[in-house]
Amino acid sequence: MNTFEFARANDISQAIAAAARSGTAQQGAQVRFIAGGTTLVDLMKLNVERPRQVIDINGLSLDRVETLPDGGLKIGALVRNSDLAHHPVVERDYAVLSEALLSGASGQLRNMATTGGNLLQRTRCVYFRDTAMPCNKREPGSGCSAIDGYNRNLAILGTSEHCIATNPSDMSVALAALEATIHIQGVKVERSVPIHDFFLLPGVTPDRETVMQPGDLITHVTLPAPTGGKSVYLKLRDRASYEFALASAAVVVRTEANQFKHIRIALGGVGTKPWRCFDAEKALEGKSPNETNFRNAAEAALRDAKPQSENGFKVELARRCLVHALKSATEIA
Ligand SMILES: Cc1cc2nc3c(=O)[nH]c(=O)nc-3n(C[C@H](O)[C@H](O)[C@H](O)COP(=O)(O)OP(=O)(O)OC[C@H]3O[C@@H](n4cnc5c(N)ncnc54)[C@H](O)[C@@H]3O)c2cc1C
Ligand code: SF4
């Protein structure tokens, strides 16, 4: 680990002014915020992240969950993953979010990990974390070791010839299905970005994963009022805990008179960003919940999949994951 300065920020403008001196908002940034530290410290130990200054934002008052006048929910960026998962409103009205959070990492990690940090966690591609290997995300222009290398756990949707890394977050998949909005305080302005636009596809710049700019601080996340239906998160992985998704599905549904009136679907473990499945939603809108319709929706969701040398199994795994999640949300055996 390189040497770095450590500072504590007590108010938002002080934190942003310091971080705005940074080169980029992500890879290679000179100044980084630290929240729970469960991503940043690991990457600093591996010399993947080498900030000159680390600013502790834990003193900012961004640790509350509040109900909004429109019935929605406001989640502070510093709310810990455990507190959010067990919040009574989240458990009751946004079960998909609670289930996604509880499927991630371990109890100890969730006690530290924050909402903002979870959104900005980095890929688990092994080459990204190994500074001896070429990686376009870590070192732009150096090449992608995974395309002809170990890629079993990597993406099949949204990839480019420059990067095929998966976004590892479970929470963000649930937030995609819930149509969350990310609120960002920048150096000059505050902005609100729908989660679908927050994450970027790798394209030719895989080092840029989100729309965050130097100095940007995530202040909170908002969720729309609950839709009154049911929501489910299903995660498939190599072992039952402490493991990232090979495929996961977040579904938010409401049916009336045996027809889908509201349906939102996102997949995890298969996309370069939390993967919203608009085609699958369209395939189900107004239809009855049954196995044939679920299978058709799953086919639509994976239609554009581009498997790599070792992860072709993910196409069918993700389809089955989605079908099971839909069955469970609609209580079809
Ligand atoms: C062993 C292990 C297993 C794991 N398993 C899973 C899993 O199964 N599923 C899963 O989803 N996750 C998993 N994780 C990842 C874990 O969820 C993340 O590390 C955690 O959510 C990051 O939150 P943090 O607060 O610790 O982030 P930090 O490490 O503090 O920060 C992460 C990044 O976000 C930036 N940042 C933090 N807060 C803000 C803010 N408010 N505004 C702007 N920038 C900010 C930091 O500068 C840094 O770049 C695992 C982690 C480990 C170590
Ligand atoms: S897939 Fe992306 S993160 Fe992995 S080696 Fe290639 S460029 Fe790096």
Side-chain angles (χ1 to χ4, degrees), residues 254-262 284-289:
R254 182 168 53 81
T255 53
E256 278 171 31
N258 203 35
Q259 282 189 335
F260 281 110
K261 288 294 171 203
H262 177 93
L284 286 173
E285 197 67 61
K287 299 262 173 61
S288 315

Side-chain angles (χ1 to χ4, degrees), residues 32-33 35-40 105 114 118 120-121 170 218 235 244:
R32 301 306 293 264
F33 295 131
T38 62
T39 283
L40 186 62
T114 62
N118 195 322
L120 296 175
Q121 64 174 290
D170 291 298
I218 297 174
K235 175 172 175 179
F244 291 87

Side-chain angles (χ1 to χ4, degrees), residues 123-129 133-139 142-147 150-151 154-155 160-166 202 206 209:
T123 182
R124 309 307 281 198
C125 172
V126 289
Y127 304 108
F128 174 71
R129 303 167 82 84
M133 298 301 289
C135 168
N136 287 325
K137 191 182 276 299
R138 174 171 37 75
E139 201 69 57
S142 62
C144 172
S145 302
I147 288 176
Y150 176 73
N151 53 44
L154 300 188
S160 78
E161 60 185 293
H162 302 280
C163 182
I164 56 170
T166 337
E209 292 170 347

Side-chain angles (χ1 to χ4, degrees), residues 20-324:
R21 295 195 295 269
S22 194
T24 69
Q26 279 183 307
Q27 195 57 35
Q30 296 281 297
V31 184
R32 301 306 293 264
F33 295 131
I34 190 163
T38 62
T39 283
L40 186 62
V41 174
D42 277 3
L43 293 176
M44 286 173 68
K45 285 186 198 158
L46 294 167
N47 277 323
V48 172
E49 300 262 21
R50 283 170 290 181
R52 200 172 32 76
Q53 191 181 30
V54 172
I55 302 171
D56 180 358
I57 57 172
N58 286 286
L60 307 181
S61 7
L62 299 172
D63 58 354
R64 280 190 291 276
V65 179
E66 296 162 76
T67 306
L68 295 168
D70 68 358
L73 203 66
K74 177 177 174 182
I75 303 160
L78 289 169
V79 173
R80 305 285 156 182
N81 288 179
S82 303
D83 293 336
L84 186 56
H86 295 297
H87 191 282
V89 176
V90 176
E91 283 180 330
R92 188 191 63 211
D93 296 334
Y94 305 96
V96 65
L97 177 57
S98 179
E99 290 168 13
L101 285 161
L102 293 176
S103 77
S106 64
Q108 277 173 317
L109 282 159
R110 293 193 294 269
N111 287 343
M112 288 303 293
T114 62
T115 308
N118 195 322
L119 279 165
L120 296 175
Q121 64 174 290
R122 312 298 304 275
T123 182
R124 309 307 281 198
C125 172
V126 289
Y127 304 108
F128 174 71
R129 303 167 82 84
D130 181 351
T131 54
M133 298 301 289
C135 168
N136 287 325
K137 191 182 276 299
R138 174 171 37 75
E139 201 69 57
S142 62
C144 172
S145 302
I147 288 176
D148 294 318
Y150 176 73
N151 53 44
R152 179 178 181 272
N153 61 340
L154 300 188
I156 52 174
L157 289 165
T159 56
S160 78
E161 60 185 293
H162 302 280
C163 182
I164 56 170
T166 337
N167 180 296
S169 170
D170 291 298
M171 180 193 80
S172 299
V173 180
L175 291 182
L178 289 167
E179 300 187 302
T181 301
I182 316 302
H183 300 265
I184 301 166
Q185 177 65 60
V187 182
K188 295 206 175 100
V189 284
E190 208 179 318
R191 59 198 204 282
S192 302
V193 184
I195 190 159
H196 183 65
D197 302 324
F198 179 76
F199 292 102
L200 302 174
L201 291 172
V204 294
T205 53
D207 52 312
R208 285 205 68 217
E209 292 170 347
T210 68
V211 296
M212 296 286 282
Q213 295 292 327
D216 279 353
L217 177 82
I218 297 174
T219 52
H220 57 281
V221 172
T222 51
L223 302 181
T227 53
K230 206 172 164 202
S231 68
V232 164
Y233 187 73
L234 177 63
K235 175 172 175 179
L236 305 181
R237 48 192 155 167
D238 282 330
R239 57 181 178 195
S241 75
Y242 215 53
E243 188 56 277
F244 291 87
L246 287 169
S248 70
V251 299
V252 179
V253 304
R254 182 168 53 81
T255 53
E256 278 171 31
N258 203 35
Q259 282 189 335
F260 281 110
K261 288 294 171 203
H262 177 93
I263 171 95
R264 297 289 180 270
I265 299 172
L267 295 178
V270 287
T272 50
K273 62 184 214 171
W275 202 258
R276 178 80 181 273
C277 303
F278 294 103
D279 287 347
E281 291 169 10
K282 214 182 287 168
L284 286 173
E285 197 67 61
K287 299 262 173 61
S288 315
N290 63 48
E291 175 122 22
T292 307
N293 289 337
F294 294 165
R295 186 70 202 179
N296 290 341
E299 295 288 338
L302 274 299
R303 193 172 292 134
D304 295 330
K306 286 200 181 72
Q308 305 297 324
S309 57
E310 296 180 337
N311 65 6
F313 72 96
K314 280 195 177 192
V315 180
E316 184 56 18
L317 189 73
R319 287 191 193 119
R320 292 184 190 190
C321 184
L322 177 53
V323 169
H324 276 274

